[in-house]
Amino acid sequence: MTLLLSIAIYVGLGVFLLGCLLRILRYARTPVPLVWDLLSTSDDEADQAGHRGSYFEETNWSKHRRHKHSLGEIVVMLKEIFVLHGLWKINRPLWRWSFPFHTGLYLLLAGGSLSGLGVLFHSYAVAAAIFSPARICAWIGLWLTLFGSSGLAWRRITDPNLRPYTVPGDLINLGGFALACLLILAGSLSRTMPPFRETVFALLTFQKILHLPVLAQTGILVGCAMTAYIPYTQMAHFIAKYVTYYMVSREDAAMKATIDAEMAKNLAYHPTWSASHIAAEGNKSWAEIATSNPISAERISK
Amino acid sequence: MKDVIRVSDMSRSNIDSLCTLDEPDLKPSRSSLGSVKEGPALTPLKPEVIQCCECGLDGTCALNIARPKSREEEDRLVASFLSGLEKLFTRENNWTFLRFLVYTMENCTRCQSCSDACHIYEASGRQEIYRPTYRTEVLRRLYFKYVKHGGLLSAWQHGDIELNWPLVARLAELSYRCNLCRRCTQVCPIGADNGLVAHELRKIFSQEMGIHPKELHDKGTMLQLKVGSTTGMPSAAVKDNVEFIDEDMSERTGLDVHTPWDVEGADVLLIHNAGEILAWPENPGAYSVVLNAAGIRWTLSSELAGYDAVNYGLWYDDAQFTRIALKQLDVARKLKVKKIVIGECGHAHKSLLVNVNRIAYGDLDIPRFSSIDLLRDIVFSGKLKLDPSRNNFPVTLQDPCAIVRLMRIIEPQREILRAIAPRFREMTPHGVDNYCCGGGGGLAILNANNFGDWRSEVAGRKKLDQILNAFSDSLDPSIPKYVCAPCSNCKGQIRDLFAYWNIWGRNRILYGGLVELIVNAMTEVKPGFLDWEWR
Ligand code: SF4
Ligand code: SF4
C-alpha cells in the first residue's frame, strides 16, 4: 500500500506541475491584447508620492513611459499573496475562512518542500533541523486547511450571497481538501502512526515496509488527487493572475519590439465576424478592416 | 420577500420581466434624496413596445430587439449568437481581449466580493440581475458548455444553463445595464473583470448579430465615419459653429477670441468631443481663451473624425473602435502636429491614450496626452492672472471613471481646483474609488423608451446622492453650486439626472467642465463668465 502511496504522491505532484505549466503556456500564448488593464497603484513615482496617480499625470508622458516594477509593487503583491489584503478590505466575513485556508495551503507547501529537502539530506545531521519545522508546518497547515475549507464550504451553503452561485464542484473542491486533512489528522492521532520523519522518508523513497493507519493512507490519496486536480480548476487563479496581469500586460516599454511584432501578427488575422458593417467577407485582415470605411456597405438609419 | 432570481431564470420562456424595479426597493429612498416625486420608478413601457420588442429583463428596453416572428427565426438567431460566442474565444476574431476574457471565465472564484462595489446593484436594492457576476456567470456557463464542449462533469464543475432565444435577448439587454466603470474589477482580489464581460457580450451582439443601440452605432460610429462626427456635423458646419462660439466668447470675455483651424506643424492638435460644440459651447470656447492666453501654438482639425474625439466603438465593437481611432491618429499625422491633446472627454482619453496604444505604431505613434495635464501646467505656469475669489461658490468634482480609475489622472484637476476654487470639496468616496455617474459605457446617450428613467432612477442614483452629500452644508437654492465634471459623457448624464430630479430648480446646482472655472477666474476676462443658466 505504501508503494501505491509513494506513486500517488509523485504522480499527483507531476500532474500538478504539468497542469500549472500547461495553464501558464495557455495564457501566455493568447495573443497580446489591446491595453485594457487597470493601471497599477504602485508602478511609478507619482504613486510613491502617495496619491495613487500614474504617469498619465505628466504632460509628454509618452516620451518616457515608465513600466518598471518597483518595491511598492512587490509589497502590494506579497500582501495580496500572503494576507489576501484585497479580500480583507472588502469581504471580511469571507476572509476569516479564506485566510486560514490559503495560509494552510502555503504551510502544507512549505512543509512538503522542507520534507523533500530533509529526504535529500537524510544521512546528514542537518536533516533533523529540517524535519522539525517541516513537521510543524505540515501539522499547522493541515489544521488551518481543514478549518478554512470547512468554513468556506459552510459559507457557500448558508450565505444567501454565495448560495445561488455555488455549484456542486465548489463543494466537492472544498470538501476534498477538508476530507484529506481530516483523514490525515485522524490517522496521525492513531497510536500506530509512525513518526513524521520516518513516514515522510518512506513515502518519498518508495519504502514498502511502512505501516500507516488506513485513515492516513486514504487521506494521503485524497490529498494527492486534490493536488493533481487544482490546476484544472479556478483554484489555480494564482498562476493566471501572474501571467495576465503582471508578466505580460505592463511591459510595453521593455518589450516594444516584441509587442510591435505581435501586433503585426494580430492585425494579419482574418476575422470571420458576420455583421455587415464589419465587412469581413472572410478574406480581409484586421489591418484591412481597421483601415476601411464601412459606410458604403451600410445604410445609415436616421 | 422577493424570489431570488437564479442564473437559470435567464432562459425563462415567458415574456415577463425577470425583475421589477419598485421604488421602495431603490436606495437611497426618494425622500433621502430630498425628492417629493411620486409614482413608479420607471414609466411603464408602451404595450406596443412590449408586444413587438424583447423587453423581458427589467421593465426597460435599450435595444428594441424585434421579437422573432417564427420558431425558425428564433432558431436562426440563437445559432447566430452561438456562432458569435465561439468566435469570441478565437484568436483570429478576438485577439484584442481574448487573454483577459479567458482569464475571467476560468478564474473567478464566485466569492461575490465585488457585488457591493457596483452602484447599479446597490441602487437597485440589490437586484440579482445587476450583480456584477450575474451576467458573467451566464457567459461562463455558456463558455464551458458550448465553447469548451464540457459534458456532465463540466456542468457539475461550472454549472449548467439552457441556451434559448429568451436568454439571448435578455443577455443583449443585460449587457447594457453596466457602465463599464470597472469599480468591481478594481476590488476583485484576483483581478477578474466583470466590466470586460459586459463589453465582450456587446461585441457578440454587434459584430456577429448586428444588434447594437442605434445611438451608439447608426447615429454614433457609422455617422462619425460618414460625416466626421457623431453629432452629424460635417466639417463646414463645425467651422461655422466654432466661429459663432468665438464671437460669443469674445463678447462674454471682452477678449478677441479666435480658434485656429488646420495649422500644419502646430505644437498641439486639440480634439474635443464634438458634442461640446453643440451642447456646452462655452467649454471649447474656454479652451480657445486659455490656450491663446497661454501662448500655445495649437489647432483644431476640420478633417473627418479629426474634430471629434468621440469613439463609441470603445464600448461595443472592436472594428468600429480601431477604424475611428486610427482615423483620428491619421489626421494628426497628416497635419504634422507635435502632440495630440484630448479635450474633456473621458472615453476619448481611454480610447486615444490607452486602448489604441499598441496598434498606433510607426508614424501614427504621435505623442498624446490629457488636456487636464495641459491645463494644470498652464495654471501653474503663471501665464494667466487668476483671481480665485471669482469662484467663491461651493464646487465639487466628478471623477470620470476612464480618466481617474482607469488611467489614474487624479491630482492635476485637484491641484487646479485647490488653486482657483476656494470652496472646493470632495465627494465621498472620490479618486480611484469614485462611483460612475451612471452614464458610463455609452449609457448616457441611450434614450430608447423609458431608458432615461432607468439611468436616473438606478444607474445615476448613487451619484446624485454623492453630489447632494457633498453640498449638504449649502443645499439652499440661494447658494449657487457647481459640479465640475471634466467629461462630456458625465455632463450628459448629470444634465439628465438633474433635470429628472429637478436639482437645478430645487438646489441651484449647476454642472460644467474644468476649463470654464479657469476662465471664470481670469482677471483679464470680464467678471461673470459663468452665467448660472441651466442648460
Ligand atoms: S469577480 Fe472577483 S470578486 Fe467577483 S466573484 Fe469573481 S473572484 Fe470574487
Ligand atoms: S463595471 Fe461598473 S457598472 Fe459594470 S458591473 Fe462593474 S461596477 Fe457595476
PDB file of all heavy atoms in Angstrom, chain A residues 26-27 29 33 39 54 56-57 59 156 161 248 252 272 277, chain B residues 91 93 99 106 109-110 131 317 358 373 376-377 407 410:
ATOM      1  N   ARG A  26      -0.817  28.228 -21.809  1.00  0.00           N
ATOM      2  CA  ARG A  26      -2.076  28.568 -22.489  1.00  0.00           C
ATOM      3  C   ARG A  26      -2.352  30.072 -22.394  1.00  0.00           C
ATOM      4  O   ARG A  26      -2.704  30.720 -23.364  1.00  0.00           O
ATOM      5  CB  ARG A  26      -3.222  27.781 -21.870  1.00  0.00           C
ATOM      6  CG  ARG A  26      -4.432  27.649 -22.770  1.00  0.00           C
ATOM      7  CD  ARG A  26      -5.245  26.428 -22.432  1.00  0.00           C
ATOM      8  NE  ARG A  26      -5.718  26.457 -21.076  1.00  0.00           N
ATOM      9  CZ  ARG A  26      -6.797  27.124 -20.672  1.00  0.00           C
ATOM     10  NH1 ARG A  26      -7.476  27.838 -21.543  1.00  0.00           N
ATOM     11  NH2 ARG A  26      -7.188  27.090 -19.425  1.00  0.00           N
ATOM     12  N   TYR A  27      -2.174  30.634 -21.207  1.00  0.00           N
ATOM     13  CA  TYR A  27      -2.437  32.080 -21.069  1.00  0.00           C
ATOM     14  C   TYR A  27      -1.360  32.897 -21.773  1.00  0.00           C
ATOM     15  O   TYR A  27      -1.650  33.889 -22.423  1.00  0.00           O
ATOM     16  CB  TYR A  27      -2.522  32.477 -19.595  1.00  0.00           C
ATOM     17  CG  TYR A  27      -3.789  31.994 -18.940  1.00  0.00           C
ATOM     18  CD1 TYR A  27      -3.768  31.109 -17.883  1.00  0.00           C
ATOM     19  CD2 TYR A  27      -5.033  32.418 -19.414  1.00  0.00           C
ATOM     20  CE1 TYR A  27      -4.936  30.651 -17.294  1.00  0.00           C
ATOM     21  CE2 TYR A  27      -6.209  31.963 -18.836  1.00  0.00           C
ATOM     22  CZ  TYR A  27      -6.155  31.077 -17.776  1.00  0.00           C
ATOM     23  OH  TYR A  27      -7.305  30.632 -17.215  1.00  0.00           O
ATOM     24  N   ARG A  29       0.281  32.155 -24.258  1.00  0.00           N
ATOM     25  CA  ARG A  29       0.220  32.080 -25.719  1.00  0.00           C
ATOM     26  C   ARG A  29      -1.027  32.714 -26.313  1.00  0.00           C
ATOM     27  O   ARG A  29      -1.198  32.733 -27.527  1.00  0.00           O
ATOM     28  CB  ARG A  29       0.350  30.622 -26.157  1.00  0.00           C
ATOM     29  CG  ARG A  29       1.824  30.186 -26.067  1.00  0.00           C
ATOM     30  CD  ARG A  29       1.996  28.710 -26.108  1.00  0.00           C
ATOM     31  NE  ARG A  29       1.526  28.143 -27.369  1.00  0.00           N
ATOM     32  CZ  ARG A  29       1.501  26.846 -27.611  1.00  0.00           C
ATOM     33  NH1 ARG A  29       1.891  25.996 -26.693  1.00  0.00           N
ATOM     34  NH2 ARG A  29       1.087  26.393 -28.770  1.00  0.00           N
ATOM     35  N   PRO A  33      -2.977  41.368 -26.138  1.00  0.00           N
ATOM     36  CA  PRO A  33      -4.232  42.100 -26.343  1.00  0.00           C
ATOM     37  C   PRO A  33      -4.023  43.605 -26.481  1.00  0.00           C
ATOM     38  O   PRO A  33      -2.903  44.106 -26.329  1.00  0.00           O
ATOM     39  CB  PRO A  33      -4.996  41.805 -25.049  1.00  0.00           C
ATOM     40  CG  PRO A  33      -3.928  41.606 -24.019  1.00  0.00           C
ATOM     41  CD  PRO A  33      -2.710  41.085 -24.727  1.00  0.00           C
ATOM     42  N   LEU A  39      -4.533  50.543 -14.337  1.00  0.00           N
ATOM     43  CA  LEU A  39      -3.135  50.828 -14.022  1.00  0.00           C
ATOM     44  C   LEU A  39      -2.810  50.472 -12.580  1.00  0.00           C
ATOM     45  O   LEU A  39      -3.607  50.701 -11.681  1.00  0.00           O
ATOM     46  CB  LEU A  39      -2.854  52.303 -14.261  1.00  0.00           C
ATOM     47  CG  LEU A  39      -2.672  52.629 -15.736  1.00  0.00           C
ATOM     48  CD1 LEU A  39      -2.658  54.118 -15.923  1.00  0.00           C
ATOM     49  CD2 LEU A  39      -1.390  52.030 -16.263  1.00  0.00           C
ATOM     50  N   SER A  54      -0.808  58.080 -11.865  1.00  0.00           N
ATOM     51  CA  SER A  54       0.057  57.343 -12.785  1.00  0.00           C
ATOM     52  C   SER A  54       0.869  58.317 -13.637  1.00  0.00           C
ATOM     53  O   SER A  54       0.723  59.532 -13.530  1.00  0.00           O
ATOM     54  CB  SER A  54      -0.791  56.477 -13.707  1.00  0.00           C
ATOM     55  OG  SER A  54      -1.370  57.292 -14.707  1.00  0.00           O
ATOM     56  N   PHE A  56       0.342  59.088 -16.496  1.00  0.00           N
ATOM     57  CA  PHE A  56      -0.530  59.904 -17.349  1.00  0.00           C
ATOM     58  C   PHE A  56      -0.748  61.305 -16.774  1.00  0.00           C
ATOM     59  O   PHE A  56      -1.323  62.156 -17.423  1.00  0.00           O
ATOM     60  CB  PHE A  56      -1.888  59.237 -17.525  1.00  0.00           C
ATOM     61  CG  PHE A  56      -1.890  58.117 -18.520  1.00  0.00           C
ATOM     62  CD1 PHE A  56      -2.264  56.837 -18.147  1.00  0.00           C
ATOM     63  CD2 PHE A  56      -1.539  58.345 -19.829  1.00  0.00           C
ATOM     64  CE1 PHE A  56      -2.270  55.797 -19.064  1.00  0.00           C
ATOM     65  CE2 PHE A  56      -1.539  57.313 -20.762  1.00  0.00           C
ATOM     66  CZ  PHE A  56      -1.907  56.042 -20.373  1.00  0.00           C
ATOM     67  N   GLU A  57      -0.324  61.509 -15.544  1.00  0.00           N
ATOM     68  CA  GLU A  57      -0.492  62.836 -14.957  1.00  0.00           C
ATOM     69  C   GLU A  57       0.553  63.825 -15.449  1.00  0.00           C
ATOM     70  O   GLU A  57       0.516  64.993 -15.097  1.00  0.00           O
ATOM     71  CB  GLU A  57      -0.411  62.734 -13.428  1.00  0.00           C
ATOM     72  CG  GLU A  57      -1.588  61.994 -12.829  1.00  0.00           C
ATOM     73  CD  GLU A  57      -1.672  62.149 -11.325  1.00  0.00           C
ATOM     74  OE1 GLU A  57      -0.633  62.438 -10.713  1.00  0.00           O
ATOM     75  OE2 GLU A  57      -2.775  61.990 -10.784  1.00  0.00           O
ATOM     76  N   THR A  59       2.486  65.825 -18.546  1.00  0.00           N
ATOM     77  CA  THR A  59       2.419  66.139 -19.971  1.00  0.00           C
ATOM     78  C   THR A  59       3.656  65.494 -20.589  1.00  0.00           C
ATOM     79  O   THR A  59       4.683  65.376 -19.936  1.00  0.00           O
ATOM     80  CB  THR A  59       2.422  67.664 -20.199  1.00  0.00           C
ATOM     81  OG1 THR A  59       3.302  68.242 -19.275  1.00  0.00           O
ATOM     82  CG2 THR A  59       1.053  68.251 -20.044  1.00  0.00           C
ATOM     83  N   ARG A 156     -20.560  28.807   1.759  1.00  0.00           N
ATOM     84  CA  ARG A 156     -21.129  28.628   0.416  1.00  0.00           C
ATOM     85  C   ARG A 156     -22.560  28.097   0.504  1.00  0.00           C
ATOM     86  O   ARG A 156     -23.399  28.394  -0.328  1.00  0.00           O
ATOM     87  CB  ARG A 156     -20.268  27.658  -0.399  1.00  0.00           C
ATOM     88  CG  ARG A 156     -19.001  28.278  -0.925  1.00  0.00           C
ATOM     89  CD  ARG A 156     -18.789  27.934  -2.398  1.00  0.00           C
ATOM     90  NE  ARG A 156     -17.990  28.948  -3.050  1.00  0.00           N
ATOM     91  CZ  ARG A 156     -18.490  29.954  -3.755  1.00  0.00           C
ATOM     92  NH1 ARG A 156     -19.773  30.078  -3.922  1.00  0.00           N
ATOM     93  NH2 ARG A 156     -17.701  30.843  -4.312  1.00  0.00           N
ATOM     94  N   ASN A 161     -25.731  35.282  -0.350  1.00  0.00           N
ATOM     95  CA  ASN A 161     -25.000  35.884  -1.474  1.00  0.00           C
ATOM     96  C   ASN A 161     -24.258  34.843  -2.284  1.00  0.00           C
ATOM     97  O   ASN A 161     -24.030  35.005  -3.475  1.00  0.00           O
ATOM     98  CB  ASN A 161     -23.945  36.855  -0.947  1.00  0.00           C
ATOM     99  CG  ASN A 161     -24.450  38.251  -0.871  1.00  0.00           C
ATOM    100  OD1 ASN A 161     -25.053  38.748  -1.821  1.00  0.00           O
ATOM    101  ND2 ASN A 161     -24.234  38.877   0.269  1.00  0.00           N
ATOM    102  N   VAL A 248       2.852  40.103 -18.433  1.00  0.00           N
ATOM    103  CA  VAL A 248       2.748  40.490 -19.822  1.00  0.00           C
ATOM    104  C   VAL A 248       2.187  41.887 -20.055  1.00  0.00           C
ATOM    105  O   VAL A 248       2.754  42.673 -20.788  1.00  0.00           O
ATOM    106  CB  VAL A 248       1.877  39.462 -20.581  1.00  0.00           C
ATOM    107  CG1 VAL A 248       1.872  39.778 -22.057  1.00  0.00           C
ATOM    108  CG2 VAL A 248       2.387  38.072 -20.349  1.00  0.00           C
ATOM    109  N   ASP A 252       5.085  47.143 -21.917  1.00  0.00           N
ATOM    110  CA  ASP A 252       5.173  47.736 -23.240  1.00  0.00           C
ATOM    111  C   ASP A 252       6.535  48.346 -23.560  1.00  0.00           C
ATOM    112  O   ASP A 252       7.071  48.152 -24.641  1.00  0.00           O
ATOM    113  CB  ASP A 252       4.097  48.807 -23.415  1.00  0.00           C
ATOM    114  CG  ASP A 252       2.772  48.170 -23.692  1.00  0.00           C
ATOM    115  OD1 ASP A 252       2.509  47.121 -23.062  1.00  0.00           O
ATOM    116  OD2 ASP A 252       2.021  48.687 -24.521  1.00  0.00           O
ATOM    117  N   THR A 272     -13.837  36.446 -38.897  1.00  0.00           N
ATOM    118  CA  THR A 272     -14.997  35.963 -39.667  1.00  0.00           C
ATOM    119  C   THR A 272     -16.307  36.508 -39.107  1.00  0.00           C
ATOM    120  O   THR A 272     -17.354  35.928 -39.308  1.00  0.00           O
ATOM    121  CB  THR A 272     -15.043  34.424 -39.629  1.00  0.00           C
ATOM    122  OG1 THR A 272     -14.997  34.004 -38.256  1.00  0.00           O
ATOM    123  CG2 THR A 272     -13.878  33.808 -40.378  1.00  0.00           C
ATOM    124  N   HIS A 277     -21.599  45.487 -41.124  1.00  0.00           N
ATOM    125  CA  HIS A 277     -20.722  46.662 -41.039  1.00  0.00           C
ATOM    126  C   HIS A 277     -19.252  46.273 -40.856  1.00  0.00           C
ATOM    127  O   HIS A 277     -18.361  47.073 -41.127  1.00  0.00           O
ATOM    128  CB  HIS A 277     -21.161  47.581 -39.899  1.00  0.00           C
ATOM    129  CG  HIS A 277     -20.882  47.024 -38.539  1.00  0.00           C
ATOM    130  ND1 HIS A 277     -21.739  46.172 -37.898  1.00  0.00           N
ATOM    131  CD2 HIS A 277     -19.829  47.189 -37.681  1.00  0.00           C
ATOM    132  CE1 HIS A 277     -21.249  45.837 -36.718  1.00  0.00           C
ATOM    133  NE2 HIS A 277     -20.087  46.432 -36.567  1.00  0.00           N
TER     134      HIS A 277
ATOM    135  N   ARG B  91      -8.591  33.408 -31.425  1.00  0.00           N
ATOM    136  CA  ARG B  91      -7.602  34.477 -31.572  1.00  0.00           C
ATOM    137  C   ARG B  91      -7.821  35.296 -32.833  1.00  0.00           C
ATOM    138  O   ARG B  91      -7.610  36.500 -32.854  1.00  0.00           O
ATOM    139  CB  ARG B  91      -6.180  33.931 -31.505  1.00  0.00           C
ATOM    140  CG  ARG B  91      -5.858  32.839 -32.518  1.00  0.00           C
ATOM    141  CD  ARG B  91      -4.394  32.442 -32.451  1.00  0.00           C
ATOM    142  NE  ARG B  91      -4.017  31.949 -31.133  1.00  0.00           N
ATOM    143  CZ  ARG B  91      -2.901  32.305 -30.498  1.00  0.00           C
ATOM    144  NH1 ARG B  91      -2.051  33.136 -31.072  1.00  0.00           N
ATOM    145  NH2 ARG B  91      -2.608  31.808 -29.333  1.00  0.00           N
ATOM    146  N   ASN B  93     -10.549  36.172 -34.223  1.00  0.00           N
ATOM    147  CA  ASN B  93     -11.652  37.119 -34.099  1.00  0.00           C
ATOM    148  C   ASN B  93     -11.544  38.042 -32.906  1.00  0.00           C
ATOM    149  O   ASN B  93     -12.116  39.110 -32.895  1.00  0.00           O
ATOM    150  CB  ASN B  93     -12.983  36.354 -34.015  1.00  0.00           C
ATOM    151  CG  ASN B  93     -13.380  35.808 -35.368  1.00  0.00           C
ATOM    152  OD1 ASN B  93     -13.684  36.556 -36.282  1.00  0.00           O
ATOM    153  ND2 ASN B  93     -13.319  34.491 -35.512  1.00  0.00           N
ATOM    154  N   ARG B  99      -7.248  37.323 -23.968  1.00  0.00           N
ATOM    155  CA  ARG B  99      -6.488  36.941 -22.767  1.00  0.00           C
ATOM    156  C   ARG B  99      -7.259  37.275 -21.483  1.00  0.00           C
ATOM    157  O   ARG B  99      -7.446  36.435 -20.611  1.00  0.00           O
ATOM    158  CB  ARG B  99      -5.145  37.652 -22.764  1.00  0.00           C
ATOM    159  CG  ARG B  99      -4.353  37.383 -21.513  1.00  0.00           C
ATOM    160  CD  ARG B  99      -2.986  37.997 -21.581  1.00  0.00           C
ATOM    161  NE  ARG B  99      -2.155  37.349 -22.590  1.00  0.00           N
ATOM    162  CZ  ARG B  99      -1.041  37.859 -23.065  1.00  0.00           C
ATOM    163  NH1 ARG B  99      -0.631  39.034 -22.664  1.00  0.00           N
ATOM    164  NH2 ARG B  99      -0.328  37.217 -23.960  1.00  0.00           N
ATOM    165  N   GLU B 106     -12.257  31.675 -16.448  1.00  0.00           N
ATOM    166  CA  GLU B 106     -11.734  30.456 -15.825  1.00  0.00           C
ATOM    167  C   GLU B 106     -11.252  30.618 -14.392  1.00  0.00           C
ATOM    168  O   GLU B 106     -10.918  29.628 -13.748  1.00  0.00           O
ATOM    169  CB  GLU B 106     -10.573  29.907 -16.683  1.00  0.00           C
ATOM    170  CG  GLU B 106     -11.044  29.505 -18.063  1.00  0.00           C
ATOM    171  CD  GLU B 106      -9.956  28.890 -18.917  1.00  0.00           C
ATOM    172  OE1 GLU B 106      -8.801  28.829 -18.468  1.00  0.00           O
ATOM    173  OE2 GLU B 106     -10.275  28.480 -20.058  1.00  0.00           O
ATOM    174  N   THR B 109     -13.641  33.077  -8.546  1.00  0.00           N
ATOM    175  CA  THR B 109     -13.961  32.074  -7.524  1.00  0.00           C
ATOM    176  C   THR B 109     -15.403  32.217  -7.019  1.00  0.00           C
ATOM    177  O   THR B 109     -15.773  31.561  -6.052  1.00  0.00           O
ATOM    178  CB  THR B 109     -12.992  32.192  -6.334  1.00  0.00           C
ATOM    179  OG1 THR B 109     -13.078  33.527  -5.839  1.00  0.00           O
ATOM    180  CG2 THR B 109     -11.567  31.901  -6.735  1.00  0.00           C
ATOM    181  N   ARG B 110     -16.162  33.083  -7.653  1.00  0.00           N
ATOM    182  CA  ARG B 110     -17.569  33.319  -7.285  1.00  0.00           C
ATOM    183  C   ARG B 110     -17.720  33.682  -5.807  1.00  0.00           C
ATOM    184  O   ARG B 110     -18.639  33.242  -5.132  1.00  0.00           O
ATOM    185  CB  ARG B 110     -18.412  32.091  -7.619  1.00  0.00           C
ATOM    186  CG  ARG B 110     -18.455  31.774  -9.094  1.00  0.00           C
ATOM    187  CD  ARG B 110     -19.433  30.678  -9.378  1.00  0.00           C
ATOM    188  NE  ARG B 110     -18.850  29.390  -9.102  1.00  0.00           N
ATOM    189  CZ  ARG B 110     -18.327  28.582 -10.030  1.00  0.00           C
ATOM    190  NH1 ARG B 110     -18.360  28.952 -11.289  1.00  0.00           N
ATOM    191  NH2 ARG B 110     -17.811  27.431  -9.708  1.00  0.00           N
ATOM    192  N   ARG B 131     -26.165  42.232 -10.266  1.00  0.00           N
ATOM    193  CA  ARG B 131     -24.935  41.846  -9.568  1.00  0.00           C
ATOM    194  C   ARG B 131     -23.837  41.711 -10.630  1.00  0.00           C
ATOM    195  O   ARG B 131     -24.060  41.087 -11.678  1.00  0.00           O
ATOM    196  CB  ARG B 131     -25.167  40.501  -8.875  1.00  0.00           C
ATOM    197  CG  ARG B 131     -24.123  40.122  -7.876  1.00  0.00           C
ATOM    198  CD  ARG B 131     -24.337  38.686  -7.454  1.00  0.00           C
ATOM    199  NE  ARG B 131     -25.310  38.507  -6.391  1.00  0.00           N
ATOM    200  CZ  ARG B 131     -25.044  38.601  -5.085  1.00  0.00           C
ATOM    201  NH1 ARG B 131     -23.822  38.895  -4.711  1.00  0.00           N
ATOM    202  NH2 ARG B 131     -25.972  38.391  -4.195  1.00  0.00           N
ATOM    203  N   ASP B 317     -17.699  47.600 -30.003  1.00  0.00           N
ATOM    204  CA  ASP B 317     -17.342  46.995 -31.280  1.00  0.00           C
ATOM    205  C   ASP B 317     -15.878  47.295 -31.603  1.00  0.00           C
ATOM    206  O   ASP B 317     -15.499  48.455 -31.785  1.00  0.00           O
ATOM    207  CB  ASP B 317     -18.268  47.591 -32.360  1.00  0.00           C
ATOM    208  CG  ASP B 317     -18.183  46.844 -33.672  1.00  0.00           C
ATOM    209  OD1 ASP B 317     -17.091  46.798 -34.245  1.00  0.00           O
ATOM    210  OD2 ASP B 317     -19.219  46.333 -34.133  1.00  0.00           O
ATOM    211  N   ARG B 358      -1.165  50.066 -28.605  1.00  0.00           N
ATOM    212  CA  ARG B 358      -0.363  49.014 -29.236  1.00  0.00           C
ATOM    213  C   ARG B 358      -0.539  48.925 -30.743  1.00  0.00           C
ATOM    214  O   ARG B 358       0.282  48.315 -31.427  1.00  0.00           O
ATOM    215  CB  ARG B 358      -0.676  47.667 -28.582  1.00  0.00           C
ATOM    216  CG  ARG B 358      -0.086  47.577 -27.201  1.00  0.00           C
ATOM    217  CD  ARG B 358      -0.337  46.249 -26.550  1.00  0.00           C
ATOM    218  NE  ARG B 358       0.327  46.219 -25.251  1.00  0.00           N
ATOM    219  CZ  ARG B 358       0.016  45.372 -24.282  1.00  0.00           C
ATOM    220  NH1 ARG B 358      -0.950  44.504 -24.459  1.00  0.00           N
ATOM    221  NH2 ARG B 358       0.662  45.406 -23.142  1.00  0.00           N
ATOM    222  N   ASP B 373      -3.912  67.684 -17.892  1.00  0.00           N
ATOM    223  CA  ASP B 373      -2.499  67.936 -17.562  1.00  0.00           C
ATOM    224  C   ASP B 373      -2.045  69.278 -18.136  1.00  0.00           C
ATOM    225  O   ASP B 373      -1.336  70.046 -17.490  1.00  0.00           O
ATOM    226  CB  ASP B 373      -1.595  66.845 -18.156  1.00  0.00           C
ATOM    227  CG  ASP B 373      -1.903  65.469 -17.575  1.00  0.00           C
ATOM    228  OD1 ASP B 373      -2.539  65.405 -16.506  1.00  0.00           O
ATOM    229  OD2 ASP B 373      -1.517  64.475 -18.207  1.00  0.00           O
ATOM    230  N   ARG B 376      -3.350  72.080 -16.080  1.00  0.00           N
ATOM    231  CA  ARG B 376      -2.592  72.207 -14.831  1.00  0.00           C
ATOM    232  C   ARG B 376      -1.269  72.942 -15.093  1.00  0.00           C
ATOM    233  O   ARG B 376      -0.906  73.877 -14.372  1.00  0.00           O
ATOM    234  CB  ARG B 376      -2.336  70.807 -14.260  1.00  0.00           C
ATOM    235  CG  ARG B 376      -1.634  70.732 -12.900  1.00  0.00           C
ATOM    236  CD  ARG B 376      -0.133  70.392 -12.993  1.00  0.00           C
ATOM    237  NE  ARG B 376       0.227  69.544 -14.086  1.00  0.00           N
ATOM    238  CZ  ARG B 376       0.393  68.220 -14.006  1.00  0.00           C
ATOM    239  NH1 ARG B 376       0.184  67.624 -12.862  1.00  0.00           N
ATOM    240  NH2 ARG B 376       0.780  67.520 -15.059  1.00  0.00           N
ATOM    241  N   ASP B 377      -0.583  72.544 -16.182  1.00  0.00           N
ATOM    242  CA  ASP B 377       0.689  73.196 -16.486  1.00  0.00           C
ATOM    243  C   ASP B 377       0.490  74.692 -16.748  1.00  0.00           C
ATOM    244  O   ASP B 377       1.278  75.525 -16.314  1.00  0.00           O
ATOM    245  CB  ASP B 377       1.358  72.540 -17.703  1.00  0.00           C
ATOM    246  CG  ASP B 377       1.905  71.155 -17.370  1.00  0.00           C
ATOM    247  OD1 ASP B 377       1.759  70.730 -16.196  1.00  0.00           O
ATOM    248  OD2 ASP B 377       2.452  70.492 -18.277  1.00  0.00           O
ATOM    249  N   MET B 407      -7.146  55.413 -15.770  1.00  0.00           N
ATOM    250  CA  MET B 407      -5.850  55.973 -16.172  1.00  0.00           C
ATOM    251  C   MET B 407      -5.090  56.599 -15.013  1.00  0.00           C
ATOM    252  O   MET B 407      -3.936  56.955 -15.151  1.00  0.00           O
ATOM    253  CB  MET B 407      -6.064  57.028 -17.263  1.00  0.00           C
ATOM    254  CG  MET B 407      -6.638  56.458 -18.537  1.00  0.00           C
ATOM    255  SD  MET B 407      -6.988  57.747 -19.741  1.00  0.00           S
ATOM    256  CE  MET B 407      -5.351  58.389 -20.016  1.00  0.00           C
ATOM    257  N   ILE B 410      -5.328  61.786 -11.409  1.00  0.00           N
ATOM    258  CA  ILE B 410      -6.099  62.081 -10.204  1.00  0.00           C
ATOM    259  C   ILE B 410      -5.837  63.490  -9.672  1.00  0.00           C
ATOM    260  O   ILE B 410      -6.760  64.226  -9.333  1.00  0.00           O
ATOM    261  CB  ILE B 410      -5.740  61.076  -9.081  1.00  0.00           C
ATOM    262  CG1 ILE B 410      -5.961  59.652  -9.598  1.00  0.00           C
ATOM    263  CG2 ILE B 410      -6.580  61.316  -7.830  1.00  0.00           C
ATOM    264  CD1 ILE B 410      -5.308  58.595  -8.739  1.00  0.00           C
TER     265      ILE B 410
END
